[in-house]
Amino acid sequence: MADLMSYDDRDGFIWFNGELIAWRDAKLHMLSHGLHYASAVFEGERAYGGEVFELTKHTERLVDGAQTLDFEIPYSVAEIDEACRQTVKANNLSDCYVRPIAWRGSEMMGVSAQATKINLSIAAWDWGSYFPMEERLKGIKLAWATYRRPDPATAPARTKAAGLYMICTIEKHRAEKAGYAEALMLDWRGHVAECTSGNIFFTKGTELHSPTPDCFLDGITRQTVMELARKRGYTCIDRTIMPEELKDFDECFMVGTAAEVTPIKSVGDIEFQPGVVCETLLNDYMATVQPGKAAAE
Ligand code: PMP
């Protein structure tokens, strides 16, 4: 733990309620509604060569998520987009992760929090591959999660609400402690759903099969990868996938802003052979998010 550079003790600038302030000064009080009641919604974005990929889609999802949590972020989509760009620039970053978060403040402490101030802050930091590149190409090992993605009738399931990540952290830890890189969650009906931080695809030949995103995020990366797959002439099928079917697929990979496209070599004791379909889509995805780089190579 000694060599961990804590996220609250760094040089740089954080955009905080309309201004860029010193990184270490971006603090909130322990009596913040967002901390106690998870009245918070966030985004995870990546910039490549200084440009945030699909910035407006991320910002729109943030604003929509806040509305689902019954609050209004006091900035427009265009203002938030600009604030994200400013944050990347102020920190002199090129390839980085961008983390906006909106939360209810300290003015009221209780389940009712109608008069709380809505805060928005944006941080950005250098961030390489979510999984080490070497490990990524070999494929990562997934454990089966115990918790399930909730019924949309019981939680704002299709947002990036902070509270939804409580079970993701528990499952990611459980997986890591058992020697896996990630965990695959079922949904409340027992259908295959998604990983703790990304969507999942399976392949049969050049058919891509992916769980219908009706109780979890239809990720921006998922949508991008499906577009790229169609351009390659692959067929994309959204459907209910049962855990017993996994043994019948050829390849498997997870996708997300952080994970990009990451081949999977096993889920529990079911093995996959990372092959030409995930490699093609990984390369197509990287060429799409970093077009300058692809052209230069
Ligand atoms: N599901 C979960 C639980 C996630 O955290 C993410 C990452 N935001 C995704 C799916 C994929 O979303 P995106 O591709 O938009 O990053």
Side-chain angles (χ1 to χ4, degrees):
M1 285 293 187
D3 58 348
L4 275 185
M5 189 167 75
S6 179
Y7 278 89
D8 58 2
D9 187 18
R10 296 181 176 202
D11 295 331
F13 300 94
I14 288 179
W15 191 97
F16 199 96
N17 288 336
E19 53 179 338
L20 284 161
I21 63 171
W23 189 288
R24 292 178 182 82
D25 294 341
K27 294 180 178 166
L28 69 160
H29 198 272
M30 62 81 66
L31 290 170
S32 291
H33 198 272
L35 177 64
H36 293 246
Y37 298 92
S39 51
V41 63
F42 68 97
E43 261 310 317
E45 308 167 358
R46 256 189 204 266
Y48 298 89
E51 292 281 327
V52 178
F53 181 65
E54 297 288 25
L55 174 57
T56 303
K57 281 192 188 163
H58 282 282
T59 303
E60 284 170 351
R61 185 166 71 186
L62 179 76
V63 167
D64 288 351
Q67 274 164 1
T68 306
L69 296 196
D70 191 37
F71 63 81
E72 203 73 46
I73 298 176
Y75 303 96
S76 67
V77 167
E79 286 166 339
I80 299 170
D81 279 358
E82 187 47 34
C84 290
R85 289 191 198 101
Q86 272 179 23
T87 308
V88 171
K89 204 164 162 203
N91 289 288
N92 236 339
L93 293 166
S94 170
D95 292 338
C96 64
Y97 186 76
V98 183
R99 167 56 60 85
I101 182 162
W103 72 96
R104 287 191 184 276
S106 307
E107 295 76 11
M108 289 178 79
M109 259 295 148
V111 172
S112 175
Q114 315 243 13
T116 44
K117 178 180 170 184
I118 306 306
N119 298 277
L120 175 67
S121 91
I122 304 162
W125 58 88
D126 239 326
W127 219 34
S129 192
Y130 191 46
F131 299 108
M133 203 59 180
E134 232 172 78
E135 193 185 353
R136 167 144 58 162
L137 293 171
K138 283 192 300 193
I140 58 164
K141 284 170 60 181
L142 265 53
W144 284 107
T146 303
Y147 278 107
R148 294 180 171 202
R149 299 316 293 165
D151 179 346
T154 65
R158 299 190 67 205
T159 66
K160 274 184 83 74
L164 290 170
Y165 285 85
M166 174 180 64
I167 56 174
C168 296
T169 296
I170 295 171
E171 292 301 346
K172 180 92 175 176
H173 288 185
R174 200 198 310 275
E176 286 176 347
K177 284 175 196 161
Y180 298 90
E182 246 292 351
L184 178 58
M185 301 176 98
L186 303 179
D187 72 11
W188 91 102
R189 298 161 294 198
H191 303 166
V192 174
E194 61 166 356
C195 300
T196 67
S197 58
N199 294 117
I200 193 146
F201 283 97
F202 302 94
T203 75
K204 256 185 207 172
T206 54
E207 276 176 13
L208 255 56
H209 297 242
S210 177
T212 307
D214 59 2
C215 62
F216 52 87
L217 285 183
D218 181 4
I220 293 165
T221 318
R222 180 182 188 277
Q223 294 167 35
T224 306
V225 164
M226 287 173 88
E227 245 178 73
L228 293 170
R230 286 191 199 100
K231 276 194 199 153
R232 286 272 171 195
Y234 302 166
T235 310
C236 296
I237 305 165
D238 268 16
R239 65 176 180 89
T240 297
I241 298 175
M242 299 306 291
E244 312 78 83
E245 290 182 62
L246 262 55
K247 60 181 184 338
D248 304 327
F249 291 115
D250 303 329
E251 299 181 32
C252 175
F253 55 95
M254 75 175 275
V255 303
T257 296
E260 297 169 328
V261 175
T262 297
I264 290 166
K265 73 172 170 199
S266 60
V267 179
D269 54 15
I270 303 160
E271 302 204 339
F272 301 96
Q273 188 62 52
V276 68
V277 175
C278 44
E279 204 179 323
T280 303
L281 291 171
L282 168 58
N283 290 334
D284 285 358
Y285 184 75
M286 296 317 291
T288 303
V289 294
Q290 37 186 208
K293 225 178 195 169
E297 274 164 6

